[in-house]
Amino acid sequence: MDHIVVIQWWILLCISGNSAEVMKRSIFLISGQTESVHLSVSDLAQPHWSEFSWEWTSHDGRYSEIQIARAISSRLVVSPPFTEYFSCSKDFDVTVKPKFECAGVFLLVRANVPLVKIEIFTTKITPSFWPSFRLGSDVSVSCEVSSLPDGATLQWERDGDSTSITTLFYNNTVHMIIRSVHPDSQGAYYCTFRQNGTLLYNVSNAVRIEEVSSDATLTMYRESSNSSLVTLLCMTSDEYIHASWSWTPLSTAKEVHLVRTTMYGSNDTFNERFSYGDFNGYYFPLYFSPVKFEDSGRFNCYFENLLVASINVVTLKVSAVPPSGFPRNHPVVLRCEVSEVSTDPVTLAWLRMEGSRGLLVKQDILTESHPNRMLSVTLPSLHRDQLHWQCAVFTEGMLRATASLTLTLPTQTKMSSMTGMGTETVVRGVITMAATLGILGLLGFYCRRPNGTQTQRQKEEPAQLQETGV
């Protein structure tokens, strides 16, 4: 594995309460590299120093300002619990072994006054060694950093292009999937660490392709969606005249012929959903899009009657129940389902997305004996920060596929506004309305009721009219 490491150092001088200068430095190293890191302060130390020590705050949170080494009779001695990680070099220097768990902040303290602050950031590339990858296979790699300060970014890039090709950023780890690798996929890939846009550190590795297919079964995971694409590659070093692709769906376990062709251009297609490239006697690709959940199964490529490539496609789908039109306070269930779980356990994880960063909400490990192949998350009510989700599939600790799900807040109508009110608010409103209507009714009745003077006058007027002969 070819590593290219760029180490950025900076020194910031500041004045402490005792007018002592505190030097600050940052160091980047690769977990598992052959060389250790020396925390050298010999140029600062004085021969008569006796009251000083090294303190360590680990990035993983296990230790905080713990003393890892101290001076005894003008000699530096590492505390016994930490000899697995640190050792003494010369004078007052400490050697840090290239282990991921050694990352953290180191303080050189004398008489309770910090003099030097050194922060070590450790990166871990998985797999650490990249072999030659099989043609048509999916390449999954990850790059993890021990800590990511504010303003820092971690991403995968191709040689000569700073555009991020990261598939998923989760838990200080960037995952990258190169799907259906082919000769154009070869080259250098970089895991880069930037602070406020400035490149501080990168690690590179190279992708190399075996340009001949193998009849050993490959497994690839694909999202079931309208935008998903499956590319199946089949290549051999010997020339053949006839080639064909077949498919054995997981649901029926019955082989179905998809296409037959010859290098002279005679073709037979048995399913219009599938397309293929030209067959030149050596190379015959198959494509299908969109990918349906029912497309899961085994695809075999034959040159004449020779099995050249066998690829197992596992599909992944996500959904929300109810899908839309629900009240704001209605619970929502997110579902993620994988079509198949074979001998290797599969980890499903629901991640709530904040921009490009995923925050784990729930995960589960599925096995062949698992009663179902689904992971569900129930949201009691939907909020604005819960609209963007991804379901991720991991096997052997490596990312295999992701499926995105975007939810939509319901439209706020008058009725939904009433539904969203608290029960106490609604009851108060009803009581107030009833009281208002009652008062208005009494006022109306009082205004329409004739008074006593009018009634007496109305009785006397007919009598007077009779007396006068009117």
Side-chain angles (χ1 to χ4, degrees):
M1 176 170 120
D2 299 323
H3 291 297
I4 300 176
V5 181
V6 179
I7 297 180
Q8 176 78 21
W9 296 74
W10 67 85
I11 300 177
L12 175 63
L13 302 181
C14 60
I15 305 299
S16 70
N18 293 329
S19 299
E21 293 182 344
V22 179
M23 291 200 310
K24 296 183 180 181
R25 298 186 289 192
S26 292
I27 303 175
F28 297 86
L29 62 86
I30 303 170
S31 176
Q33 70 183 33
T34 56
E35 296 182 0
S36 299
V37 174
H38 300 281
L39 307 184
S40 179
V41 292
S42 299
D43 54 337
L44 296 177
Q46 303 296 323
H48 63 275
W49 278 13
S50 60
E51 296 180 4
F52 75 93
S53 63
W54 280 99
E55 296 179 356
W56 174 46
T57 298
S58 61
H59 278 167
D60 59 15
R62 290 177 301 155
Y63 302 102
S64 178
E65 297 183 356
I66 190 75
Q67 187 182 88
I68 60 171
R70 63 189 180 94
I72 299 178
S73 300
S74 299
R75 291 182 60 253
L76 189 65
V77 178
V78 174
S79 302
F82 303 105
T83 53
E84 179 183 356
Y85 304 133
F86 314 110
S87 61
C88 298
S89 52
K90 63 177 183 177
D91 298 328
F92 307 106
D93 298 347
V94 169
T95 298
V96 181
K97 297 180 181 181
K99 296 184 176 182
F100 190 79
E101 55 268 30
C102 292
V105 177
F106 296 81
L107 287 177
L108 177 66
V109 180
R110 179 173 182 262
N112 295 323
V113 177
L115 301 178
V116 177
K117 179 180 179 180
I118 301 176
E119 185 165 13
I120 295 181
F121 296 88
T122 308
T123 57
K124 179 167 59 177
I125 307 295
T126 306
S128 57
F129 173 75
W130 293 12
S132 295
F133 297 100
R134 287 175 52 184
L135 178 76
S137 63
D138 286 350
V139 174
S140 180
V141 295
S142 67
C143 176
E144 181 181 2
V145 67
S146 56
S147 179
L148 200 64
D150 292 339
T153 59
L154 187 72
Q155 65 184 33
W156 282 102
E157 303 172 3
R158 284 209 71 169
D159 188 15
D161 188 355
S162 61
T163 304
S164 174
I165 53 174
T166 299
T167 305
L168 177 66
F169 177 34
Y170 155 61
N171 197 23
N172 286 348
T173 305
V174 285
H175 297 268
M176 176 180 64
I177 301 176
I178 310 172
R179 302 194 182 282
S180 303
V181 292
H182 49 84
D184 291 342
S185 305
Q186 297 185 117
Y189 291 79
Y190 291 82
C191 176
T192 63
F193 185 105
R194 286 183 167 84
Q195 182 73 39
N196 298 321
T198 301
L199 178 64
L200 301 183
Y201 170 82
N202 62 39
V203 183
S204 73
N205 227 324
V207 170
R208 301 176 182 86
I209 306 299
E210 296 177 355
E211 297 188 6
V212 176
S213 300
S214 170
D215 59 358
T217 302
L218 288 173
T219 298
M220 59 175 58
Y221 291 79
R222 289 296 183 272
E223 175 188 6
S224 171
S225 71
N226 292 331
S227 60
S228 189
L229 168 69
V230 170
T231 300
L232 306 179
L233 303 182
C234 185
M235 178 181 287
T236 184
S237 58
D238 299 323
E239 184 180 52
Y240 291 85
I241 296 177
H242 300 89
S244 64
W245 277 99
S246 68
W247 169 40
T248 304
L250 183 64
S251 57
T252 64
K254 182 179 180 181
E255 188 174 25
V256 177
H257 293 288
L258 298 177
V259 59
R260 291 175 181 157
T261 188
T262 69
M263 60 183 300
Y264 305 114
S266 175
N267 302 315
D268 293 320
T269 304
F270 301 96
N271 193 314
E272 296 181 354
R273 286 193 56 238
F274 298 84
S275 60
Y276 53 90
D278 294 332
F279 175 54
N280 60 4
Y282 303 91
Y283 179 67
F284 189 38
L286 180 72
Y287 315 97
F288 60 95
S289 179
V291 179
K292 299 180 179 180
F293 189 72
E294 296 77 17
D295 291 334
S296 177
R298 178 165 297 187
F299 293 79
N300 289 334
C301 173
Y302 298 92
F303 285 3
E304 307 297 351
N305 294 321
L306 176 67
L307 177 63
V308 178
S310 182
I311 304 171
N312 189 39
V313 176
V314 181
T315 52
L316 174 73
K317 69 177 180 179
V318 292
S319 61
V321 180
S324 61
F326 50 86
R328 185 182 292 266
N329 290 332
H330 194 283
V332 181
V333 179
L334 311 181
R335 294 176 177 172
C336 178
E337 183 177 0
V338 64
S339 62
E340 179 184 1
V341 177
S342 58
T343 55
D344 294 329
V346 173
T347 299
L348 290 183
W350 269 114
L351 305 170
R352 180 170 59 84
M353 304 304 296
E354 290 187 355
S356 61
R357 183 190 296 260
L359 301 176
L360 178 65
V361 174
K362 186 179 180 180
Q363 69 177 7
D364 195 9
I365 299 176
L366 311 181
T367 61
E368 280 186 297
S369 59
H370 205 275
N372 59 61
R373 303 181 303 274
M374 182 183 299
L375 178 65
S376 300
V377 170
T378 300
L379 307 177
S381 60
L382 189 61
H383 302 285
R384 191 168 298 277
D385 61 347
Q386 298 175 324
L387 301 182
H388 302 285
W389 297 82
Q390 281 196 16
C391 179
V393 180
F394 296 86
T395 63
E396 300 177 337
M398 303 305 298
L399 180 68
R400 304 302 177 185
T402 62
S404 300
L405 181 64
T406 301
L407 305 177
T408 303
L409 286 172
T411 304
Q412 188 76 11
T413 61
K414 291 183 178 180
M415 182 59 69
S416 64
S417 298
M418 288 290 292
T419 305
M421 292 181 180
T423 304
E424 183 179 352
T425 303
V426 174
V427 171
R428 287 180 178 176
V430 171
I431 293 174
T432 302
M433 185 178 295
T436 303
L437 293 175
I439 293 173
L440 292 176
L442 290 174
L443 291 174
F445 174 77
Y446 179 79
C447 293
R448 290 193 301 269
R449 183 179 62 84
N451 56 38
T453 306
Q454 291 175 330
T455 304
Q456 184 63 30
R457 187 180 296 125
Q458 289 172 356
K459 290 181 179 180
E460 292 176 349
E461 285 179 353
Q464 293 175 356
L465 290 175
Q466 291 178 1
E467 291 176 358
T468 55
V470 178

